[in-house]
Amino acid sequence: MEALRQLSEHYDAASQDAEFLRQFHGYLRDYVGRPSRLYFAERLTKEAGGARIYLKREDLNHTGAHKINNCIGQALLARRMGKPRIIAETGAGMHGVASATAAALFGLECRVYMGEEDVRRQRLNVFKMKALGSTVTPVTTGSRTLRDAINEALRDWMASVATTHYIIGSVVGPHPFPRMVRDFQSVIGKETREQCLLQLGRLPDVVVACVGGGSNAAGMFYPFIGDADVELVGIEAGGRGQDAGQHAATLNYGKPGVLHGAYSYVLQDDDGQTAAVHSVSAGLDYPGVGPEHSYWKDTGRVHYSSVGDDEALKAFHLCSRLEGILPALETGHALVEAMRIAAKRAREDVVVVCFSGRGDKDCHEVARLEGEIIE
């Protein structure tokens, strides 16, 4: 609790400090390459046969996903706190790469915890983290995926908090982490709002984002929460089906509980133990979800549904062939639902997808699932 109290005090001060915010937005502009583009996906729109589909291109950020936004902010905070070491957890590897990148940029020591199964699925990102000077520690306990990586990172942080800051990668964990990550990622939704008004002359009708822990979705949704006419849709991992252990659709099938220091919806068994999860996407197979997403579900402000493995894989190929853009498998889930929604709406309507990351990291796994080996 002392570690969290200290972090809350430092973040509260930093979030009101004009110089800290100037540095943060300066790095987002000059280093990350923001603002990311709002792109009209003409051929996906034609394929869906309805509303216009726009992609908020977070894949164009340095390191290839939205994760770098949060990592720059938290690494600046670590430097402000005088902590020379950062740790992180990662599933799909993009948060690990972004953390390693921020550590290299600011001269910080970095260790990334990654489930052994995800190390196998994301070998390219493991290489990138090591090349950037970070240590990658495989986690061999439990399901050997994201949940277990967070467990190990929290243990490390509690043992080394005097010199270490933990960069949590999503809107999960104890306060103030969900708020911090949401705030740093809100640049996505703020830009999207401004770009829609500038390019289209109005706000979008629907905004869609994938949800694992929920960072890209929280960053996209938060600036639109007060816009009642904008429908917000979050898409979870439907995996192989509705049976326990075959999906990671926490908001669709979970129950209220506590996981990693936050009260939220959690996939759990009858005894309250965290359930096994599955997704073709390493970044979505988490048995919990950010507490603010749980609030948005309960209030009805955001509608949450799920998309299965096979559909997400088809979207990977469809987007690649129609738009010349390889989507991350996480993003593929959102694309499936966006096209379904677009097909039911009028041509003048607008559906915006948070294109959370590029699919380079998933090529080995997609090839393996389809019987091809990439050496």
Side-chain angles (χ1 to χ4, degrees), residues 38-95:
L38 183 67
Y39 166 71
F40 174 47
E42 184 175 1
R43 298 192 69 202
L44 281 177
T45 296
K46 185 177 180 181
E47 181 75 13
R52 290 172 288 167
I53 298 172
Y54 283 78
L55 310 178
K56 178 58 173 167
R57 296 288 305 278
E58 292 299 291
D59 61 307
L60 296 178
N61 292 338
H62 179 45
T63 72
H66 69 289
K67 294 294 187 181
I68 190 68
N69 305 322
N70 171 54
C71 290
I72 291 292
Q74 290 209 48
L76 280 171
L77 184 63
R79 190 171 70 171
R80 178 187 174 99
M81 296 169 70
K83 296 190 174 183
R85 178 177 182 260
I86 61 171
I87 56 174
E89 88 295 330
T90 195
M94 297 308 292
H95 176 60

Side-chain angles (χ1 to χ4, degrees), residues 66-305:
H66 69 289
K67 294 294 187 181
I68 190 68
N69 305 322
N70 171 54
C71 290
I72 291 292
Q74 290 209 48
L76 280 171
L77 184 63
R79 190 171 70 171
R80 178 187 174 99
M81 296 169 70
K83 296 190 174 183
R85 178 177 182 260
I86 61 171
I87 56 174
E89 88 295 330
T90 195
M94 297 308 292
H95 176 60
V97 170
S99 296
T101 299
L105 176 63
F106 297 125
L108 304 171
E109 179 188 349
C110 179
R111 179 181 294 272
V112 179
Y113 290 92
M114 190 173 190
E116 189 176 53
E117 170 63 8
D118 293 334
V119 169
R120 179 195 66 77
R121 291 194 284 189
Q122 301 294 340
R123 288 177 292 167
L124 178 59
N125 278 338
V126 172
F127 176 84
K128 288 180 180 179
M129 286 180 264
K130 291 179 178 178
L132 288 160
S134 292
T135 300
V136 179
T137 299
V139 177
T140 59
T141 56
S143 61
R144 299 174 293 125
T145 56
L146 182 58
R147 173 191 64 187
D148 311 288
I150 294 177
N151 290 342
E152 291 304 315
L154 284 168
R155 291 187 185 104
D156 183 324
W157 191 44
M158 290 302 95
S160 61
V161 69
T163 59
T164 300
H165 173 63
Y166 176 18
I167 302 183
I168 283 185
S170 196
V171 286
V172 300
H175 178 77
F177 284 111
R179 174 189 161 207
M180 287 170 52
V181 178
R182 179 205 71 193
D183 288 352
F184 288 135
Q185 293 292 6
S186 288
V187 65
I188 305 171
K190 290 175 183 176
E191 286 180 4
T192 302
R193 219 174 168 282
E194 293 169 1
Q195 289 167 326
C196 283
L197 291 172
L198 181 64
Q199 294 175 215
L200 308 173
R202 65 182 183 86
L203 295 179
D205 297 284
V206 187
V207 175
V208 184
C210 65
V211 179
S215 63
N216 89 93
M220 177 59 110
F221 293 162
Y222 186 61
F224 287 102
I225 289 295
D227 300 306
D229 292 336
V230 179
E231 182 182 349
L232 304 176
V233 181
I235 305 302
E236 298 188 299
R240 304 187 189 101
Q242 298 180 10
D243 293 342
Q246 297 300 306
H247 62 80
T250 306
L251 289 163
N252 285 273
Y253 301 106
K255 297 180 292 185
V258 176
L259 177 63
H260 295 136
Y263 182 63
S264 184
Y265 281 94
V266 181
L267 289 169
Q268 52 192 300
D269 63 21
D270 292 338
D271 296 322
Q273 298 300 309
T274 307
V277 292
H278 163 78
S279 172
V280 70
S281 169
L284 298 183
D285 59 356
Y286 180 63
V289 68
E292 196 159 19
H293 282 292
S294 295
Y295 171 73
W296 290 336
K297 169 187 166 66
D298 286 351
T299 61
R301 180 61 188 95
V302 182
H303 171 70
Y304 296 92
S305 60

